[in-house]
Amino acid sequence: MSATTATQIRQLFLDFFQAHGHTVVRSSPLVPQDPTLLFTNAGMVQFKDVFTGKQALGFTRAASSQKCVRAGGKHNDLDNVGRTARHHTFFEMLGNFSFGAYFKVEAITLACKLLFDELHMPKDRLMFTVFRGEDGIPADDEARRLWRGIANLPDDRILGLGKKDNFWMMGDTGPQGPCSERHFHQGDDLPCDEVQNGRPCLGPACDCDRWLEIWNLVFMQFERKEPGGPLTPLPAPSIDTGAGLERMAAVVQGKRSNYDTDLFTPLLHQVSEACHRPYTASDGDDDMSMRVLADHCRATAFLIADGVLPSNLGRGYVMRSIMRRAIRHAVRLSLPAGFFATLCGGVADLMGEAYPELRSARSLIAKAVNAEDEGFRATIDRGLRLIAETKWEDRGGRRVMPGKVAFQLHDTFGFPLDLTQVIGREQGFSVDEAGFGEEMKKQRERSKFTGSGDQAVGDVYKKLRGETGPTQFTGYGQKDGASGTGKVLALVFPGGETGKRAEAGQEVDLIADRTPFYGRSGGQIGDTGRIYRYQGLLGPAGVAGPAGVAGPAGVAGPAGVSGPAEIAGPAGVSGPAGIAGPAEVLGPAGVAGELEVLDTWKPVADLFVHRCRVLAGEVSVGDEVRLEVDDERRGSIRRNHSATHLLHHALRAVLGEHVTQKGSYVGPDKLTFDFSHFSPLSREERLQVERRVNQAVLRNAEQHMEEKDFDEARTLGALALFGEKYGDRVRVLRLGESVELCGGTHVWRTGDIGLFKLIGESGLAQGVRRITAVTGNGALDLVEKMDGELSAAAELLRSGPLEVAERIGKIQEDLKAREKEIGALKQRLLYGGGGGGDGHGPGAFSEERTIAGEKVVARRLNDADMKALRDVAEGMREKLGAGVLALGAVAEGKVALVVAVRKDLAQAGRWNAGKIIGQLAPLVGGKGGGKPELAQAGGSLPDQLDQALSHLFALLSE
């Protein structure tokens, strides 16, 4: 059956290449492993290391439908979205790849079969481009000849273009080569700038909509080893192709705009119904707003599903820009708060079968979008007020918004330039685009994306992975998971230099073929311990192998157990004859090298690197070594790691299924767990979470770990950490009701965790919270410490430990009563007690005058702070019958000054307390402010207080 829907086209593409020997690889996340990229922006991103020879796969042909986002960074189509028929923030890239398996002949043959035999595209509406040669690089005559022969095309249907269009480079160095595009003719009735200027359309070389690029084949056949250096042929030329599903669907469905395909029409219909306006596919503002919403909801839903939440930094900043642009268009269409979240849910309905992560993250998508929607709508109002207060430039009778104001709207309030221009058309002003561009250029320089912040993988480790193959991890076993033997395959010294031998005192990264040491990943830190090299271990003399290595209890080889006087010790290995005799025991003198393992990490997914310090002797490439993990430390790590799984399950049960893991730290001392949630946990929620985890611990459920296909694991409900890259085979860990994908080390039964104690919960970023907790001995230590503190507090309060809260409550009530009594006594003193009986003491400043028919009083009081002055000011003004009262005092060397104005005088605008205090405050070396009826100020010049109070009368007389 011929494919017509986008879903059918996607599946046909994958099935076609699978039938031709390609392995179908699922889409990698939108957050790439490559630290130099903001988002995954092309299908080849997940194969980048394969093309450069730094990574090997178990297959040489692949096909995929890759999720892509181009917004922010080098590829930024955001400003064009909604305005054109083909620009999108999110799109799907169909691709087939050859890693040395085939080259131009088969690539072009397969392309022709798919286009003409499967998709039934009309050949007479297609043109093909090839590289015409430039800068000393020869033309790709081979590709021209193949298109002419295989597709049976005349020369005038094959167009040669230059490097800009038809030569692909990964960078200044690395693989590169010519490429060949397929362009579909959409009709000569579409506008073309060349034709309007009296020249013929340039065909595929033109920038008009008459020709639509639908598929590009990249022929990687050269390599440039240094910038500006010569191009050398690759030993295994490769193929990388990319076809936008949206464009393919438009051509197959006979549409001139991607927005008219079934990838967008359900979303546009949803918007149209909600705003009660028809979508007419025009260039009008309403239709553009609808297209923006239909596009941006896809990017929003997919990015949140892959773990990106709106923030003010990096990917989160771009995410926020996309969301705010959509919300502003929703407001423009009079759509209510919450609609955009509903539209994003429509994406999950439309594409959830192809991308199940959308359904899994549906609750999170709704909460994240609604939180941003609610906050940004308030920001929009402030932005519109800024527009209302703008000082316009007058250019020939036209009102023009200065570029700086337009940029402030963009940068501070999230208004993209095109939205400000829409508002301008509605309100009758234009925008200084050049000025805006200058401000944007400055901003890009300030915030240029230089990488994700992740550690860039050194080329040396990628190269070693290709030479040594993967490391076999042996650390999962319950009895033998903390020790084992292996062969040293490589040594890497600081600075990235490899060597053959490391000696005492040196630090070195050691790679072995097998290891029980866990390399830090997934939040779990790396193991530490010791590595030993023994004289003769697995040597030609026939010394017993792993089965004969003496354990901690002194067990010798399989032939027997040594007696007390002959215990082999950690260095002892039995010989082939059985029990080790005194002359054959390899004690401390038999250790030829001892290394302390400081950390274990994985610079490449399956390559374990031991960061070591050589304590004694030496170690060389090719040596057989014994690796011993610090098992007590690992036990603490296991407890904390398993607790994060139980915690994740408990949080989803208490807070909702929108909770997803955003990161973690699992060490021997504590665990932290970062998760998506949009408000602090209440005390009751924290208690519920802690109780659920400890109930799971008490059930003492057995660990079940098994390997499954990724898709099968997801259908079982296993939770995956968003943003992580998983292989086709994954480890599924079940701990009671918790089921997750995890490659870490864990307890054998949940009861091994002992006790879980939550010690902190805080905000990490908008929409992301962090819980800190301890388990096992750490939890017991915390409980003992808390019990000690509680007992000490009870002793001080002369109460029982369980009566501390009640006792403190009574003490607080007593303190409040006494503070109230003290406050009342102070007010009595200020009103009329102490000193000279008038509240200000002998010799203190006090003066009254009548100004403009109103009584004005200024007094200096003793022993009063700002709060006391403020508390008595209005009451004293009424008692004295004053229209204006100024009170001043000095406490601890600081001036406190308060002015109170009678309400009717303030409302009539005769006198304003805030303005008065603003004039008096500088006289005492301070500043202040307040309301028209009451204002206050502080100062640092107590000697000037009387002068300031006296100045009140002159100020009011003026």
Side-chain angles (χ1 to χ4, degrees):
M1 183 181 71
S2 177
T4 54
T5 69
T7 298
Q8 290 171 340
I9 294 168
R10 183 196 300 115
Q11 195 59 50
L12 182 148
F13 184 94
L14 297 175
D15 290 346
F16 173 83
F17 282 103
Q18 187 173 42
H20 288 83
H22 292 64
T23 298
V24 174
V25 180
R26 68 178 180 277
S27 172
S28 63
L30 286 168
V31 178
Q33 299 291 312
D34 187 335
T36 66
L37 291 177
L38 191 65
F39 297 113
T40 299
N41 55 25
M44 62 78 60
V45 168
Q46 66 173 312
F47 302 118
K48 184 175 177 181
D49 287 342
V50 182
F51 284 125
T52 58
K54 297 173 183 175
Q55 181 185 358
L57 299 175
F59 47 86
T60 57
R61 301 170 179 231
S64 68
S65 180
Q66 174 63 51
K67 302 178 292 187
C68 298
V69 164
R70 289 188 181 176
K74 179 181 177 182
H75 298 289
N76 188 356
D77 293 335
L78 186 60
D79 292 340
N80 290 318
V81 174
R83 295 184 175 277
T84 72
R86 60 182 183 271
H87 283 101
H88 304 292
T89 49
F90 170 87
F91 63 95
E92 294 178 74
M93 183 76 85
L94 303 173
N96 61 289
F97 309 90
S98 164
F99 314 119
Y102 61 84
F103 200 44
K104 293 181 187 178
V105 173
E106 190 166 353
I108 290 175
T109 301
L110 290 171
C112 288
K113 286 183 178 180
L114 181 68
L115 288 173
F116 304 137
D117 299 343
E118 301 292 335
L119 292 173
H120 306 293
M121 287 193 183
K123 189 183 294 186
D124 59 351
R125 295 182 66 177
L126 287 169
M127 279 194 73
F128 301 76
T129 65
V130 295
F131 179 55
R132 70 183 176 204
E134 189 176 330
D135 292 343
I137 307 172
D140 192 0
D141 294 331
E142 181 185 8
R144 177 183 290 275
R145 185 175 64 255
L146 290 170
W147 282 119
R148 192 169 52 221
I150 296 172
N152 193 23
L153 294 170
D155 266 341
D156 62 0
R157 303 292 298 285
I158 306 170
L159 180 67
L161 297 178
K163 288 180 67 176
K164 177 178 179 293
D165 297 294
N166 279 88
F167 195 87
W168 180 90
M169 296 184 291
M170 185 176 289
D172 292 335
T173 60
Q176 46 198 281
C179 57
S180 179
E181 300 165 340
R182 270 141 313 295
H183 293 257
F184 184 80
H185 186 234
Q186 299 198 99
D188 287 335
D189 58 322
L190 290 170
C192 174
D193 290 342
E194 295 292 323
V195 173
Q196 289 177 357
N197 291 321
R199 297 184 294 269
C201 176
L202 300 175
C206 197
D207 196 29
C208 66
D209 286 334
R210 294 184 178 188
W211 291 92
L212 177 68
E213 180 196 339
I214 59 171
W215 198 2
N216 187 20
L217 303 186
V218 176
F219 307 127
M220 288 191 217
Q221 65 187 90
F222 302 118
E223 181 180 20
R224 197 186 298 274
K225 296 185 177 180
E226 57 184 34
L231 287 177
T232 58
L234 282 172
S238 298
I239 293 292
D240 159 29
T241 83
L245 175 62
E246 292 76 11
R247 296 187 181 192
M248 281 281 202
V251 171
V252 171
Q253 295 173 18
K255 309 296 183 182
R256 287 181 168 181
S257 169
N258 296 355
Y259 291 97
D260 294 336
T261 68
D262 62 340
L263 287 165
F264 291 94
T265 51
L267 300 171
L268 287 166
H269 180 71
Q270 194 173 347
V271 178
S272 175
E273 280 202 333
C275 68
H276 306 293
R277 307 182 197 189
Y279 175 71
T280 61
S282 72
D283 293 331
D285 289 342
D286 285 357
D287 284 352
M288 189 192 78
S289 292
M290 293 186 199
R291 286 192 291 270
V292 168
L293 284 164
D295 173 274
H296 288 11
C297 67
R298 290 169 20 119
T300 297
F302 273 95
L303 283 169
I304 293 175
D306 274 357
V308 181
L309 291 176
S311 70
N312 291 326
L313 295 171
R315 298 182 178 104
Y317 178 79
V318 177
M319 172 69 169
R320 172 163 282 165
S321 299
I322 293 171
M323 294 176 70
R324 289 188 167 187
R325 188 169 189 260
I327 293 164
R328 174 65 183 95
H329 280 282
V331 171
R332 197 196 155 276
L333 293 173
S334 303
L335 292 165
F339 171 77
F340 189 52
T342 302
L343 190 63
C344 291
V347 178
D349 293 333
L350 190 63
M351 305 182 73
E353 185 173 347
Y355 299 99
E357 62 268 27
L358 290 171
R359 292 174 177 171
S360 301
R362 187 163 192 154
S363 176
L364 173 61
I365 292 168
K367 286 186 175 291
V369 174
N370 279 328
E372 188 67 21
D373 195 341
E374 182 180 342
F376 183 49
R377 284 177 184 257
T379 305
I380 288 175
D381 292 338
R382 294 196 295 274
L384 293 175
R385 284 199 296 272
L386 175 63
I387 292 175
E389 297 167 359
T390 294
K391 293 181 180 179
W392 308 101
E393 295 177 357
D394 188 344
R395 296 185 182 178
R398 293 184 302 110
R399 291 194 308 162
V400 178
M401 173 181 284
K404 285 189 176 182
V405 177
F407 180 75
Q408 184 182 357
L409 284 167
H410 162 81
D411 196 47
T412 305
F413 299 100
F415 282 33
L417 177 62
D418 64 336
L419 295 183
T420 304
Q421 291 170 325
V422 169
I423 297 170
R425 288 195 291 272
E426 295 170 350
Q427 299 186 10
F429 66 84
S430 59
V431 178
D432 175 10
E433 293 187 39
F436 175 87
E438 284 298 315
E439 296 298 322
M440 179 62 79
K441 183 179 179 181
K442 295 175 186 175
Q443 168 71 357
R444 284 172 178 158
E445 289 300 316
R446 292 193 297 266
S447 59
K448 186 179 294 183
F449 180 79
T450 56
S452 66
D454 301 331
Q455 179 181 1
V457 177
D459 287 347
V460 62
Y461 295 107
K462 290 183 177 180
K463 182 180 179 182
L464 284 172
R465 167 59 180 81
E467 295 173 354
T468 66
T471 307
Q472 181 185 353
F473 179 61
T474 62
Y476 290 125
Q478 184 170 1
K479 295 181 179 179
D480 58 354
S483 63
T485 61
K487 182 179 181 180
V488 179
L489 300 179
L491 297 171
V492 182
F493 294 90
E497 294 183 4
T498 58
K500 295 295 184 181
R501 186 177 65 177
E503 300 175 342
Q506 290 186 300
E507 288 198 1
V508 66
D509 285 352
L510 183 149
I511 299 170
D513 61 342
R514 307 168 75 249
T515 183
F517 284 78
Y518 183 81
R520 65 174 185 263
S521 61
Q524 179 175 333
I525 68 172
D527 282 330
T528 61
R530 289 286 195 275
I531 295 177
Y532 297 97
R533 182 175 78 86
Y534 297 113
Q535 292 283 7
L537 180 62
L538 292 177
V543 180
V549 177
V555 179
V561 179
S562 62
E566 299 169 333
I567 293 178
V573 181
S574 68
I579 299 176
E584 297 171 283
V585 175
L586 293 176
V591 177
E594 181 180 1
L595 296 82
E596 179 186 8
V597 180
L598 307 171
D599 189 15
T600 311
W601 58 299
K602 296 195 292 183
V604 183
D606 52 7
L607 185 74
F608 289 65
V609 177
H610 309 82
R611 184 146 290 170
C612 304
R613 180 187 296 116
V614 184
L615 301 178
E618 61 183 37
V619 65
S620 300
V621 173
D623 284 345
E624 299 288 348
V625 292
R626 180 164 182 79
L627 305 99
E628 297 184 356
V629 175
D630 182 341
D631 201 28
E632 183 176 348
R633 179 177 180 272
R634 175 186 274 186
S636 297
I637 295 172
R638 279 199 305 258
R639 285 189 286 272
N640 284 333
H641 198 163
S642 297
T644 64
H645 287 233
L646 303 183
L647 174 60
H648 193 183
H649 185 270
L651 285 167
R652 289 170 66 86
V654 174
L655 303 178
E657 292 190 358
H658 67 280
V659 170
T660 56
Q661 184 175 349
K662 305 298 294 180
S664 65
Y665 164 82
V666 178
D669 53 335
K670 65 178 180 180
L671 68 91
T672 65
F673 187 83
D674 305 337
F675 60 100
S676 52
H677 191 56
F678 298 88
S679 60
L681 272 65
S682 66
R683 182 175 181 275
E684 179 57 33
E685 287 172 334
R686 289 177 51 158
L687 288 173
Q688 284 186 51
V689 168
E690 188 174 83
R691 189 178 301 116
R692 279 181 174 271
V693 175
N694 281 312
Q695 286 172 346
V697 171
L698 289 172
R699 292 189 189 102
N700 200 26
E702 186 178 359
Q703 174 211 119
H704 290 283
M705 180 81 81
E706 56 185 332
E707 279 199 3
K708 289 187 176 294
D709 289 334
F710 179 85
D711 294 334
E712 182 186 359
R714 294 305 302 271
T715 59
L716 292 175
L719 296 177
L721 179 60
F722 292 134
E724 283 289 305
K725 185 176 181 179
Y726 295 95
D728 292 330
R729 298 288 294 177
V730 292
R731 291 180 65 84
V732 181
L733 173 70
R734 184 183 297 274
L735 287 170
E737 296 178 343
S738 167
V739 184
E740 295 195 25
L741 306 184
C742 185
T745 57
H746 289 273
V747 296
W748 311 113
R749 306 190 73 94
T750 58
D752 296 344
I753 294 171
L755 176 66
F756 172 87
K757 191 66 184 169
L758 195 154
I759 60 176
E761 189 269 336
S762 60
L764 193 61
Q766 183 172 349
V768 181
R769 311 291 301 174
R770 168 172 289 178
I771 277 179
T772 305
V774 288
T775 65
N777 290 330
L780 291 173
D781 291 344
L782 178 64
V783 170
E784 289 176 1
K785 183 177 180 180
M786 293 171 67
D787 182 65
E789 292 289 329
L790 186 61
S791 297
E795 187 175 339
L796 291 171
L797 294 168
R798 297 181 181 178
S799 67
L802 300 181
E803 299 167 351
V804 168
E806 180 182 354
R807 178 68 177 141
I808 290 175
K810 289 181 178 179
I811 291 173
Q812 287 178 329
E813 289 179 5
D814 290 345
L815 286 173
K816 286 180 182 178
R818 294 185 184 187
E819 286 176 357
K820 187 175 181 180
E821 183 179 349
I822 291 170
L825 290 171
K826 280 187 175 181
Q827 287 198 23
R828 286 177 60 191
L829 288 171
L830 292 173
Y831 276 123
D838 56 4
H840 54 277
F845 181 90
S846 178
E847 188 171 345
E848 297 179 6
R849 295 185 191 177
T850 299
I851 299 176
E854 295 292 342
K855 185 177 182 181
V856 177
V857 178
R859 286 191 177 183
R860 176 171 176 167
L861 305 179
N862 294 327
D863 301 322
D865 57 16
M866 184 69 76
K867 184 177 183 303
L869 291 184
R870 199 170 53 244
D871 288 344
V872 304
E874 291 186 349
M876 182 177 284
R877 186 197 64 214
E878 298 302 323
K879 180 179 179 180
L880 298 175
V884 178
L885 170 68
L887 298 177
V890 177
E892 298 181 355
K894 299 292 183 181
V895 175
L897 192 61
V898 171
V899 172
V901 175
R902 201 170 66 235
K903 188 174 183 179
D904 61 311
L905 297 177
Q907 289 179 341
R910 289 183 62 186
W911 286 316
N912 183 300
K915 292 182 178 179
I916 294 170
I917 206 77
Q919 295 289 321
L920 300 181
L923 301 178
V924 293
K927 57 184 179 180
K931 298 178 181 179
E933 298 169 27
L934 185 68
Q936 67 183 45
S940 58
L941 302 174
D943 294 342
Q944 303 298 317
L945 177 57
D946 290 356
Q947 178 185 345
L949 291 169
S950 177
H951 186 63
L952 172 70
F953 303 105
L955 186 63
L956 297 185
S957 296
E958 293 173 0

